[in-house]
Amino acid sequence: MADSHTPENTHGKALKINKDTSRYGAFAEIGAGQEVARHFFQAGKASQTIAKTISAYDMVVSDDIYGREANGRYVCEPRLYKMLGHEYDLLVERLSEGRGKTSRFFSFANTVATASSGSNKQSHGWMGVRFQTEPEGPSNDIILHIRMLDRYRLQQQEALGVLGVNLLDCAFYHIGNPEEFIPRLVDNLKEGQVVIDVIKFKGPALTHFNERLMNLELVRRGLAEAILFSPENEILNIADAVYGKSLLIQRGHFRPVTVTHVDVLQKGLVQMKSDILKSEGKDLEILPMMELTMHNLQTGGEVDEKDFLERVETLTSLGHHVLISNFFLFYGLKRFLRRYNSHFMALVVGASHLEKLFTEEHYKNLEGGLLEGLGKLLEQKTKLYVYPHKTNVLCLTAKSFFPSPNLRHVYKHFIENNQIVEISGCDETDDYLHSKDVMKMIEKGDPEWESKVPEKVRDLIKTKKLFGYTD
């Protein structure tokens, strides 16, 4: 998280805001105490900044003020928006005739659940600010979803307080340069204290923030393990998006997505419907996700932002959810998703990927090596689906793959226990189309590429001149 700017301490930031007589607002904090407002009270001159603080711990009281959520939850995004809207609207209604000509109003809110070490509960929450950049001007929103990783509640609350002050400081003084925003957002926080896995920007003063790139930056900096885009290109909270669903995940470069990628996913879906009934005893909604790792997005250690946006746009145009993750190995991704989802899950790969999966070198950081890694990946409710890798010379399948002699019994175990499953035969598939082969056609101006990608993707590439395409 090291950056060129020198972080200002939390007390100094709070005092700076208190001394800024044009800033005036309300604080509403549910679940973890008045951790953010506390910094402003302690810094001094809080009467110049704080019109009101509220902590509605009692659920009945909270529901009476902000309304009850349809799902009965309190730590959720809709609750945060209700808190921000209610407090901001009251502030404007009560004070606009008096100090509205000179004050830039704001409302700050968070709804947070903390948990002690050893608890099964997640320490997470939503935090946001609604603010004016000019007196009597329109409002703007910045929203975060966070997880606190410290072991004890007091430490989690302290981190929450620091992050809240940083968010207000960034919103008030650092929205001019998006590149500075995230480094300043984590000032005075230790590495590994918080995860920020959603950040959203809305309002006329924030149109220069590219939400997709800002969320990608969270993953690049290690502040989030993964981010999820909806087919409408919205940033989703992963925990909410995967809750109660079976997950089908296809990893790839998708530069661009090919007709083979689509066929892999479709055959995976057919297989999965049968497996869900056997595993769960009932039908469940399936959430297919196309996954890109940061490793697959980088060239020479750097992320090409234009290329990233083009890959996401082509995938979402097909109606797919897109997951960007920091997990090089599948078992890490699976364990991450298991934090939020206990239902049947499958990862679908081309048969050529089996060699990488059974390369012992990839698991050298684990005490149990490859056995531990595959044991963490494959269990009763997780399977690996294998799609044939067919060329004009051969067709590689799960049955024709042979790992090194010392691992053949391990591979046989997963095959016989139906944890590594073939989802198609060679006769039912065409030659496997790699993204890199299609890219070569595009670069050479070979029109054959147009038949190698889905129609929607073809039209998008041609219309928007994606991936270096020229007429």
Side-chain angles (χ1 to χ4, degrees):
M1 296 183 197
D3 283 278
S4 57
H5 80 279
T6 302
E8 186 180 358
N9 67 47
T10 305
H11 178 88
K13 289 184 178 185
L15 183 58
K16 176 178 66 177
I17 293 172
N18 282 348
K19 287 181 175 180
D20 184 347
T21 56
S22 72
R23 307 285 179 182
Y24 203 59
F27 290 77
E29 303 185 75
I30 294 178
Q34 300 283 341
E35 294 305 316
V36 180
R38 176 172 61 84
H39 283 285
F40 291 91
F41 284 124
Q42 291 179 342
K45 298 186 179 296
S47 62
Q48 296 182 172
T49 299
I50 300 177
K52 168 188 174 182
T53 66
I54 184 170
S55 182
Y57 273 91
D58 188 278
M59 292 180 183
V60 176
V61 173
S62 181
D63 287 344
D64 186 62
I65 298 171
Y66 303 116
R68 182 175 174 80
E69 300 302 320
N71 58 14
R73 296 166 66 187
Y74 292 85
V75 182
C76 59
E77 187 177 6
R79 190 61 158 200
L80 179 74
Y81 277 112
K82 286 180 180 178
M83 294 167 70
L84 288 173
H86 179 86
E87 302 302 339
Y88 183 86
D89 291 347
L90 275 181
L91 202 66
V92 173
E93 179 187 327
R94 291 168 174 169
L95 301 176
S96 58
E97 287 189 10
R99 58 189 304 159
K101 301 287 186 185
T102 57
S103 293
R104 291 178 279 184
F105 293 133
F106 72 89
S107 64
F108 172 90
N110 61 49
T111 173
V112 180
T114 56
S116 296
S117 176
S119 170
N120 291 326
K121 295 181 179 179
Q122 292 284 333
S123 301
H124 78 108
W126 289 90
M127 172 185 292
V129 58
R130 179 165 294 179
F131 64 103
Q132 293 175 321
T133 56
E134 298 295 336
E136 300 184 315
S139 65
N140 307 273
D141 293 346
I142 303 176
I143 305 297
L144 311 176
H145 181 262
I146 58 176
R147 294 199 340 263
M148 286 79 70
L149 303 183
D150 284 314
R151 293 185 62 189
Y152 301 109
R153 280 195 174 94
L154 181 59
Q155 295 170 320
Q156 294 165 22
Q157 290 169 350
E158 288 173 349
L160 183 71
V162 171
L163 183 61
V165 174
N166 287 345
L167 176 58
L168 288 168
D169 180 72
C170 286
F172 295 166
Y173 308 116
H174 301 292
I175 58 172
N177 185 356
E179 292 183 4
E180 289 185 359
F181 192 92
I182 289 175
R184 292 182 182 277
L185 188 60
V186 294
D187 277 353
N188 307 307
L189 289 169
K190 298 174 185 176
E191 189 171 347
Q193 268 194 294
V194 298
V195 165
I196 305 171
D197 51 17
V198 172
I199 186 166
K200 296 185 178 183
F201 301 87
K202 182 182 179 182
L206 303 173
T207 55
H208 56 298
F209 280 81
N210 185 308
E211 209 168 81
R212 287 180 291 178
L213 292 180
M214 295 299 288
N215 280 272
L216 177 68
E217 183 68 4
L218 294 174
V219 182
R220 190 187 72 79
R221 288 178 172 272
L223 287 165
E225 302 104 319
I227 55 172
L228 182 63
F229 297 96
S230 76
E232 294 74 35
N233 280 297
E234 297 171 324
I235 310 298
L236 301 178
N237 176 28
I238 293 174
D240 292 339
V242 305
Y243 181 78
K245 300 180 178 71
S246 280
L247 308 178
L248 179 63
I249 302 151
Q250 182 182 0
R251 174 176 288 185
H253 287 79
F254 307 120
R255 187 178 185 265
V257 57
T258 70
V259 291
T260 297
H261 292 133
V262 173
D263 192 51
V264 170
L265 197 68
Q266 290 303 316
K267 287 186 166 61
L269 285 168
V270 171
Q271 176 69 38
M272 197 167 188
K273 289 174 183 176
S274 170
D275 284 338
I276 289 172
L277 281 173
K278 294 175 185 175
S279 175
E280 304 283 346
K282 60 181 179 180
D283 279 325
L284 284 177
E285 181 183 347
I286 300 174
L287 177 64
M289 293 188 284
M290 309 297 257
E291 186 218 5
L292 284 154
T293 68
M294 287 301 295
H295 176 76
N296 286 341
L297 283 173
Q298 290 176 338
T299 304
E302 297 294 326
V303 175
D304 183 333
E305 293 180 348
K306 181 176 181 293
D307 176 74
F308 159 73
L309 293 173
E310 290 174 355
R311 292 198 229 185
V312 172
E313 186 173 6
T314 49
L315 288 168
T316 56
S317 74
L318 296 176
H320 296 312
H321 286 73
V322 181
L323 185 72
I324 311 296
S325 86
N326 258 331
F327 300 105
F328 178 67
L329 297 177
F330 279 141
Y331 82 84
L333 173 63
K334 177 272 181 87
R335 294 186 76 192
F336 167 74
L337 292 171
R338 277 284 178 252
R339 185 183 296 147
Y340 311 112
N341 184 296
S342 61
H343 295 298
F344 183 83
M345 179 190 312
L347 298 101
V348 57
V349 298
S352 61
H353 193 87
L354 290 170
E355 185 175 354
K356 295 178 183 177
L357 192 70
F358 280 82
T359 299
E360 292 184 272
E361 178 71 13
H362 291 160
Y363 305 93
K364 62 183 179 181
N365 63 317
L366 296 176
E367 288 185 12
L370 178 142
L371 280 176
E372 181 181 347
L374 292 181
K376 289 177 175 177
L377 172 62
L378 299 170
E379 33 83 2
Q380 187 179 5
K381 288 193 174 184
T382 305
K383 291 188 179 185
L384 188 75
Y385 289 166
V386 181
Y387 181 91
H389 190 273
K390 185 178 178 181
T391 69
N392 58 359
V393 178
L394 54 83
C395 183
L396 181 62
T397 66
K399 290 177 182 176
S400 64
F401 170 70
F402 296 100
S404 57
N406 64 311
L407 296 176
R408 286 181 186 174
H409 63 292
V410 178
Y411 183 63
K412 185 178 180 182
H413 166 81
F414 290 119
I415 290 286
E416 291 182 349
N417 283 277
N418 210 32
Q419 290 174 300
I420 296 179
V421 180
E422 287 195 299
I423 57 171
S424 180
C426 293
D427 292 338
E428 296 97 54
T429 59
D430 295 323
D431 285 0
Y432 199 101
L433 284 168
H434 290 281
S435 293
K436 62 182 179 181
D437 296 326
V438 177
M439 274 303 301
K440 287 177 183 176
M441 296 178 193
I442 293 174
E443 289 165 358
K444 291 178 180 178
D446 183 349
E448 190 181 350
W449 74 267
E450 296 185 25
S451 65
K452 310 300 183 185
V453 301
E455 287 185 16
K456 284 186 179 180
V457 174
R458 177 201 66 197
D459 295 342
L460 201 59
I461 290 173
K462 295 178 75 173
T463 302
K464 295 194 173 184
K465 304 290 191 292
L466 306 182
F467 304 115
Y469 170 80
T470 54
D471 291 320

